[in-house]
Amino acid sequence: MVKHKIFTNCFLCFSLKTGFLKWKPDYDSAATEYGKAAVAFKNAKQFDQAREACLREAEAHENNKALFHAAKAYEQAGMMLKEMQRLPEAVQLIEKASMMYLENGTPDTAAIALERAGKLIENVSPEKAVQLYQQAASVFENEERLRQALEMLGKASRLLVRGRRLDEAALSLQKEKSIYKEIENYPTCYKKTIAQVLVHLHRNDYVAAERCVRESYSIPGFNGSEDCAALEQLLEGYDQQDQDQVSEVCNSPLFKYMDNDYAKLGLTLVVPGGGMKKKSPNAAQDKARGPAAVGSHADEEEDEYSGGLC
């Protein structure tokens, strides 16, 4: 390792030195040697030295106007920081790499780098991960790679729900649903409508939830689907403050087998005021038949015990 480092330093001094017969530094050769040094340091698990070598390699590629290779080196430097558990710094370098990929005209590689950065930081800073996934989705969408864009938006939506950022989650889900409708994946549109309704109800916005279902009637096949019927039943129970009915819908397989973050929304949904139990059949009949019927039931109960308990 030490011999390799000494040789590399000597070679780099020669490569970057200028003179009477050598007007320009040999950045290409320097970048190659820095790359070799980075690999050697990485294999020896000397990650800080590997990071430094990657940064020098990136600088040499930049000086040589080789943006794609510079971006790759910055991304590798970020991965060395990941090995040292310096995740925020790692993400900064990977973001820098993604910008260089875009500048180089390789947006797909830029989006993949952003997704990788999002995965790195997701457990440490979900807010940053959401931002990175949304950026990746935007790049994929601009390239008309809509399925990849949807994958990134889905990750962002779930993180927003998990973090109780429900206003932003509602907007993210609407974006997802619009793209699914555009590519004519209608069954997934139905599932996104369920997720939207649950988010709106947790926001205590019944009007937005109802409007969401009403607007979905325009999606082919939604009206008459089990998703539509379940949502209508859910909204009816919520509007009538019937916790039993709401819980019955939210515990159905249709809701329980959604993505975990949305299933939890269903299982924790409580109607305004804490809810009430369903009325008994007698109570419903009495309401339909008027006050006289109520008096009749009272008389019957009184007659039943008029002779005493024995």
Side-chain angles (χ1 to χ4, degrees), residues 107-108 138-146:
D108 286 357
S138 179
V139 174
F140 278 131
E141 189 177 2
N142 288 339
E143 294 301 303
E144 297 186 352
R145 295 185 60 180
L146 298 183

Side-chain angles (χ1 to χ4, degrees), residues 32-147:
T32 299
E33 290 304 311
Y34 279 129
K36 290 178 181 177
V39 171
F41 282 128
K42 179 184 175 183
N43 290 340
K45 299 194 181 301
Q46 297 180 28
F47 298 119
D48 199 32
Q49 291 91 330
R51 173 193 63 85
E52 183 64 27
C54 288
L55 290 175
R56 289 178 181 269
E57 179 190 358
E59 185 180 347
H61 281 308
E62 279 191 273
N63 288 327
N64 208 31
K65 309 299 182 188
L67 292 183
F68 182 85
H69 295 295
K72 278 289 183 189
Y74 278 124
E75 198 173 351
Q76 280 303 306
M79 298 312 289
M80 295 306 100
L81 285 165
K82 174 208 167 191
E83 294 294 340
M84 294 185 282
Q85 297 302 308
R86 291 160 61 179
L87 297 181
E89 295 173 74
V91 166
Q92 284 181 353
L93 283 179
I94 297 174
E95 280 188 283
K96 183 173 183 176
S98 74
M99 294 299 294
M100 296 184 81
Y101 287 133
L102 286 172
E103 192 177 345
N104 183 66
T106 48
D108 286 357
T109 313
I112 292 168
L114 289 168
E115 180 188 5
R116 186 175 293 120
K119 286 179 180 176
L120 282 183
I121 204 72
E122 188 172 305
N123 292 328
V124 177
S125 176
E127 298 84 3
K128 182 64 177 177
V130 167
Q131 177 192 334
L132 292 165
Y133 288 143
Q134 289 175 335
Q135 288 175 346
S138 179
V139 174
F140 278 131
E141 189 177 2
N142 288 339
E143 294 301 303
E144 297 186 352
R145 295 185 60 180
L146 298 183
R147 296 189 187 281

Side-chain angles (χ1 to χ4, degrees), residues 11-251:
F11 184 87
L12 290 170
C13 287
F14 177 77
S15 297
L16 298 177
K17 189 176 180 180
T18 58
F20 180 71
L21 297 176
K22 186 183 176 190
W23 294 1
K24 284 181 63 179
D26 187 355
Y27 290 119
D28 191 42
S29 296
T32 299
E33 290 304 311
Y34 279 129
K36 290 178 181 177
V39 171
F41 282 128
K42 179 184 175 183
N43 290 340
K45 299 194 181 301
Q46 297 180 28
F47 298 119
D48 199 32
Q49 291 91 330
R51 173 193 63 85
E52 183 64 27
C54 288
L55 290 175
R56 289 178 181 269
E57 179 190 358
E59 185 180 347
H61 281 308
E62 279 191 273
N63 288 327
N64 208 31
K65 309 299 182 188
L67 292 183
F68 182 85
H69 295 295
K72 278 289 183 189
Y74 278 124
E75 198 173 351
Q76 280 303 306
M79 298 312 289
M80 295 306 100
L81 285 165
K82 174 208 167 191
E83 294 294 340
M84 294 185 282
Q85 297 302 308
R86 291 160 61 179
L87 297 181
E89 295 173 74
V91 166
Q92 284 181 353
L93 283 179
I94 297 174
E95 280 188 283
K96 183 173 183 176
S98 74
M99 294 299 294
M100 296 184 81
Y101 287 133
L102 286 172
E103 192 177 345
N104 183 66
T106 48
D108 286 357
T109 313
I112 292 168
L114 289 168
E115 180 188 5
R116 186 175 293 120
K119 286 179 180 176
L120 282 183
I121 204 72
E122 188 172 305
N123 292 328
V124 177
S125 176
E127 298 84 3
K128 182 64 177 177
V130 167
Q131 177 192 334
L132 292 165
Y133 288 143
Q134 289 175 335
Q135 288 175 346
S138 179
V139 174
F140 278 131
E141 189 177 2
N142 288 339
E143 294 301 303
E144 297 186 352
R145 295 185 60 180
L146 298 183
R147 296 189 187 281
Q148 289 83 354
L150 284 166
E151 186 181 345
M152 295 299 99
L153 284 171
K155 289 184 176 185
S157 296
R158 290 189 292 274
L159 280 177
L160 288 167
V161 168
R162 205 173 303 163
R164 303 300 295 180
R165 295 162 62 185
L166 298 180
D167 290 352
E168 295 169 78
L171 294 174
S172 185
L173 283 164
Q174 181 59 44
K175 175 76 172 174
E176 280 188 77
K177 192 164 93 171
S178 298
I179 298 178
Y180 276 118
K181 187 175 180 181
E182 183 180 340
I183 64 174
E184 299 184 354
N185 186 340
Y186 301 130
T188 306
C189 287
Y190 310 161
K191 306 304 177 192
K192 295 302 171 183
T193 302
I194 293 176
Q196 279 183 297
V197 168
L198 289 171
V199 166
H200 285 312
L201 293 181
H202 270 271
R203 293 173 60 240
N204 298 315
D205 193 343
Y206 175 84
V207 173
E210 188 179 39
R211 182 173 63 247
C212 179
V213 174
R214 191 167 59 246
E215 290 173 352
S216 295
Y217 288 138
S218 64
I219 300 172
F222 177 74
N223 193 9
S225 68
E226 64 170 340
D227 305 78
C228 178
L231 284 173
E232 288 174 345
Q233 188 179 358
L234 175 65
L235 289 175
E236 178 187 49
Y238 190 91
D239 187 40
Q240 295 180 1
Q241 298 186 343
D242 189 338
Q243 185 65 52
D244 287 347
Q245 182 169 328
V246 167
S247 297
E248 183 181 340
V249 175
C250 291
N251 277 283

Side-chain angles (χ1 to χ4, degrees), residues 258-276:
M258 295 179 69
D259 284 327
N260 197 40
D261 293 295
Y262 303 126
K264 284 182 179 178
L265 286 182
L267 294 174
T268 57
L269 183 60
V270 178
V271 301
M276 61 182 182

